[in-house]
Amino acid sequence: MALLSNELVKLNNLQLAGRLVSEELMLGIHHSKRFGYGIEFEQYKHYQAGDDPKRIDWKLYARTQKHLVRESSTESNYHLRLIIDLSGSMNYVEDGVSRLQYAKILLASLAYLGYRQGDMMSLYTLQNGEVQTLVSSGKQSFQRILYELEKAEAKGDWQNQNPKFPVFQQKQKEVVIFVSDFLQINEEWLNLIKNLANPHREIMAFQVLGKQETDFDLKGFYRFKDLETGKEVELQAESIKAEVIKNAQTYLKNLETALQIPFVYLLRANLGEPIANIISESLKKRKG
């Protein structure tokens, strides 16, 4: 059974949480020939006399007590560009899990997978209308990515109609991974994603939402706060429920339609959804 997001948050250890999720995914490797974004794995097989002991996955052994040897058909030639939204709305919380915490664990888990597969990796943030490079690809980029994710804080807004990304040197295929709520004033998110997608650069867009943001099952008076502008308003939940749900459904449908373009994959995750499940879904969607 996949670890729930609130269980991972309670660990209060991003490195451990990311490792546990990546190992959950590795254990399910036999269900798909293609695993991860860079390497094609054929299978895990049981260690036999004559196999190189160095190929035993000792981390999996610690959990399964089985000597499993990982086999792959090709070496990785991918660059994973991890991008985290650090605007104020990422501080939204439901059932003890913030959107920012969920995003951090999701990206840490993907970083672990990339590290195990030998992918190049880099980390970027989106905050206050600017795109910033936190970690460039290179030696020890994996550990630096975990460090930067651990200390990242969300604040401010993201309103940029023509965001400029650092120049990418495309010497190899790339997978750009966004984690955000993709809540926009105009079409700032759509413009950024559309400008980046091309045959050599696939986009995996993880949209993380809370259940109340889509279902709005609240009763009574609430003081609602815009996490980016700080503006507050007190309203009776029942009086605005129908309008909120309608607007949310319309927005999500329009976003989904707008991103039905080549080399772009949109994944929606609920804050209560196991992170291993949404990553597994993304791998299947990209393969399909």
Side-chain angles (χ1 to χ4, degrees):
M1 183 175 178
L3 289 166
L4 299 177
S5 55
N6 59 358
E7 295 174 324
L8 293 168
V9 168
K10 288 177 182 177
L11 292 173
N12 196 31
N13 186 320
L14 182 60
Q15 183 167 342
L16 176 59
R19 180 170 62 82
L20 290 175
V21 173
S22 69
E23 288 180 356
E24 280 187 71
L25 290 160
M26 300 291 277
L27 286 170
I29 199 169
H30 62 280
H31 294 300
S32 172
K33 177 180 177 180
R34 185 172 183 81
F35 182 81
Y37 298 109
I39 280 184
E40 286 196 8
F41 284 92
E42 296 295 340
Q43 62 183 351
Y44 265 111
K45 73 168 190 175
H46 289 280
Y47 176 80
Q48 297 177 345
D51 289 335
D52 185 352
K54 294 180 181 179
R55 293 169 56 204
I56 295 175
D57 193 319
W58 293 106
K59 291 182 178 180
L60 273 183
Y61 172 78
R63 296 193 64 191
T64 65
Q65 301 303 305
K66 296 179 180 178
H67 292 90
L68 299 173
V69 176
R70 181 173 61 176
E71 294 186 318
S72 61
S73 60
T74 61
E75 291 299 320
S76 175
N77 63 342
Y78 275 74
H79 186 158
L80 301 186
R81 299 190 186 272
L82 310 176
I83 305 174
I84 185 169
D85 177 2
L86 289 182
S87 59
S89 62
M90 295 296 286
N91 289 318
Y92 177 77
V93 179
E94 270 192 22
D95 297 327
V97 180
S98 76
R99 193 170 5 243
L100 181 60
Q101 289 170 321
Y102 194 101
K104 286 182 177 184
I105 297 173
L106 195 159
L107 286 174
S109 304
L110 290 170
Y112 260 100
L113 293 176
Y115 173 69
R116 287 176 167 177
Q117 296 174 176
D119 297 325
M120 292 182 64
M121 291 182 288
S122 50
L123 176 66
Y124 307 83
T125 65
L126 304 173
Q127 192 170 43
N128 297 322
E130 296 182 354
V131 183
Q132 298 179 346
T133 303
L134 282 189
V135 179
S136 300
S137 62
K139 292 183 178 180
Q140 298 183 330
S141 61
F142 167 63
Q143 290 295 339
R144 288 163 51 217
I145 285 172
L146 292 181
Y147 172 75
E148 292 293 343
L149 283 174
E150 186 75 62
K151 68 176 187 176
E153 297 181 355
K155 58 184 178 180
D157 58 9
W158 172 254
Q159 297 183 35
N160 189 330
Q161 291 304 299
N162 188 28
K164 301 298 183 182
F165 226 91
V167 176
F168 288 170
Q169 302 297 326
Q170 285 187 250
K171 297 180 180 179
Q172 56 197 152
K173 288 187 176 181
E174 298 179 346
V175 180
V176 177
I177 299 170
F178 283 94
V179 184
S180 170
D181 51 23
F182 293 114
L183 301 179
Q184 55 188 6
I185 302 299
N186 294 298
E187 293 191 346
E188 53 267 23
W189 280 115
L190 289 178
N191 292 338
L192 179 59
I193 292 173
K194 288 179 178 179
N195 288 339
L196 286 177
N198 65 46
H200 297 286
R201 180 186 296 134
E202 296 177 88
I203 309 292
M204 305 297 299
F206 290 89
Q207 184 177 32
V208 183
L209 299 171
K211 191 172 186 296
Q212 293 298 346
E213 291 181 297
T214 54
D215 298 351
F216 201 72
D217 188 23
L218 300 176
K219 294 179 174 63
F221 282 91
Y222 282 83
R223 181 177 295 275
F224 297 95
K225 180 178 181 179
D226 186 320
L227 294 173
E228 296 193 1
T229 66
K231 294 180 179 179
E232 297 184 0
V233 60
E234 188 171 306
L235 295 168
Q236 184 184 37
E238 291 91 338
S239 68
I240 61 172
K241 179 176 181 177
E243 181 181 3
V244 170
I245 292 177
K246 179 182 177 181
N247 290 341
Q249 290 176 342
T250 299
Y251 171 68
L252 294 177
K253 181 62 178 177
N254 289 343
L255 181 67
E256 185 175 339
T257 300
L259 290 181
Q260 288 180 353
I261 56 180
F263 317 113
V264 176
Y265 308 88
L266 175 64
L267 287 303
R268 288 209 174 104
N270 184 283
L271 282 173
E273 182 176 1
I275 292 174
N277 289 2
I278 188 65
I279 294 177
S280 179
E281 181 185 343
S282 76
L283 297 173
K284 293 175 183 176
K285 193 168 186 176
R286 182 169 176 258
K287 178 186 176 183

